[in-house]
Amino acid sequence: MMAAPFDEAGFRALTAKISAERGFGAANYKDGCLRRRIAVRMRARGVGTYAEYRELLDRDAAEFEQLLDALTINVTKLYRDAEVWEAVAATVLPACWARTGPLTIWSAGCASGEEPYTLAALLHRQAERTAQPERLADARILATDIDRGSLAAARAATFAAHAFAEMPPALTARYFSAAEPRRAADELRALVHVERRDLLSDPPPAQGLALITCRNVVIYFDRPSQGPLLQRFHDALVPGGYLVLGKVETLLGEARRLFEVVDARNRIFRRVAA
Ligand SMILES: C[S@@+](CC[C@H](N)C(=O)[O-])C[C@H]1O[C@@H](n2cnc3c(N)ncnc32)[C@H](O)[C@@H]1O
């Protein structure tokens, strides 16, 4: 049996609808990834064509939400990829902390908050280890994402037990309530500021950043969107500021001139001076 030809026009009409009606710039995401995720939703609803699925979205707002959820891929965990966080704690945060003046960190694509709260715990521990807790008053972790549902969860700052699977027990016990869902301590909540931002169309939330973590996000964007985004990251960082990407992400093309490699295995880079 021959496979049915791919309905390119139908696919484009659907992604245009998603962008126009929900402000999710689907055109900038990798097609393969979008197609797989849309196919999952279409199968779940027993719909065979893109045209039928567009009609379904028109009459079923809950399905539109489910689709956006599927497209934004909100999978995350506290201390995800522990080795990366060990490296961040050992080298990146001490270097950021050694700078004078206010310290601003950006967790870009923060999903439901596990990444910025991991950063907050490590930063707080850094302040305690250096006996400079008062400096935390000048520190901020800006947590941004495009997905409103995830941002609401990030604001709540409570996490289910499975989110802690990779976090060292001592950090969990020190910074999160014992009762489930475990709530981040007030000292951490004071550090984290949650805000909606589209990485593809909005400017960074601040300039002069010491560190940007953008993990498991860039991989979903098509190549033409990645270059300008990495340029915006470069410009928002202080010279020598750090960029941490996800374990399977890397710098492509021109972006390799904007950053030097600090730790290739853990995808840690530093803005070159220029
Ligand atoms: C797989 S999660 C990564 C979460 C976290 N950084 C981590 O590594 O565990 C990807 C996140 O990127 C967000 N995202 C996707 N496109 C985005 C965009 N254009 N602007 C901002 N966030 C976006 C999604 O909503 C999702 O929360």
Side-chain angles (χ1 to χ4, degrees):
M1 204 172 73
M2 284 210 337
F6 173 60
D7 174 11
E8 177 78 30
F11 176 72
R12 296 284 160 225
L14 176 59
T15 56
K17 178 182 179 64
I18 298 167
S19 303
E21 294 181 20
R22 295 304 173 101
F24 177 81
N28 301 110
Y29 290 74
K30 287 181 184 154
D31 275 0
C33 180
L34 291 179
R35 278 167 61 171
R36 278 193 299 279
R37 291 184 182 263
I38 291 169
V40 168
R41 288 309 315 153
M42 286 171 61
R43 269 200 304 278
R45 297 304 304 267
V47 168
T49 68
Y50 289 124
E52 280 176 78
Y53 191 59
R54 284 203 312 276
E55 282 167 23
L56 174 61
L57 294 181
D58 280 335
R59 52 174 201 276
D60 188 339
E63 177 56 33
F64 219 145
E65 289 310 314
Q66 291 258 33
L67 173 64
L68 288 174
D69 237 28
L71 295 181
T72 49
I73 310 161
N74 313 118
V75 181
T76 187
K77 256 194 262 173
L78 288 147
Y79 224 78
R80 179 182 190 177
D81 300 321
E83 190 191 356
V84 175
W85 293 111
E86 301 297 338
V88 167
T91 57
V92 176
L93 285 179
C96 296
W97 193 246
R99 289 180 177 277
T100 52
L103 173 62
T104 311
I105 294 172
W106 178 20
S107 169
C110 66
S112 36
E114 285 79 348
E115 182 178 288
Y117 275 96
T118 299
L119 276 164
L122 293 177
L123 186 64
H124 197 279
R125 195 179 66 179
Q126 173 73 25
E128 286 194 330
R129 284 184 173 168
T130 53
Q132 295 176 309
E134 73 288 351
R135 287 189 56 206
L136 288 169
D138 279 335
R140 289 183 308 160
I141 297 167
L142 307 175
T144 70
D145 201 280
I146 193 175
D147 183 59
R148 292 179 203 282
S150 295
L151 292 170
R155 287 195 183 95
T158 52
F159 304 98
H162 64 81
F164 292 88
E166 289 194 59
M167 191 168 236
L171 273 184
T172 303
R174 167 71 179 82
Y175 290 114
F176 297 86
S177 69
E180 283 186 32
R182 304 188 76 153
R183 188 172 191 270
D186 288 347
E187 307 100 287
L188 302 197
R189 299 168 76 95
L191 289 170
V192 177
H193 303 261
V194 178
E195 191 184 324
R196 184 174 186 272
R197 238 160 231 271
D198 184 343
L199 280 168
L200 294 168
S201 54
D202 293 325
Q207 297 289 314
L209 301 165
L211 163 64
I212 298 173
T213 58
C214 186
R215 305 175 63 225
N216 309 299
V217 183
V218 177
I219 194 161
Y220 301 115
F221 298 156
D222 64 7
R223 211 172 153 162
S225 308
Q226 291 187 15
L229 175 62
L230 290 161
Q231 180 73 55
R232 288 195 288 281
F233 285 167
H234 168 275
D235 297 348
L237 285 166
V238 290
Y242 289 85
L243 170 67
V244 182
L245 297 177
K247 268 291 208 183
V248 294
E249 292 165 322
T250 194
L251 298 175
L252 298 170
E254 284 296 295
R256 278 184 290 207
R257 289 220 288 269
L258 302 175
F259 298 93
E260 61 190 352
V261 179
V262 174
D263 178 342
R265 184 179 161 83
N266 290 310
R267 306 296 200 263
I268 300 175
F269 307 90
R270 192 161 45 197
R271 180 190 149 158
V272 295

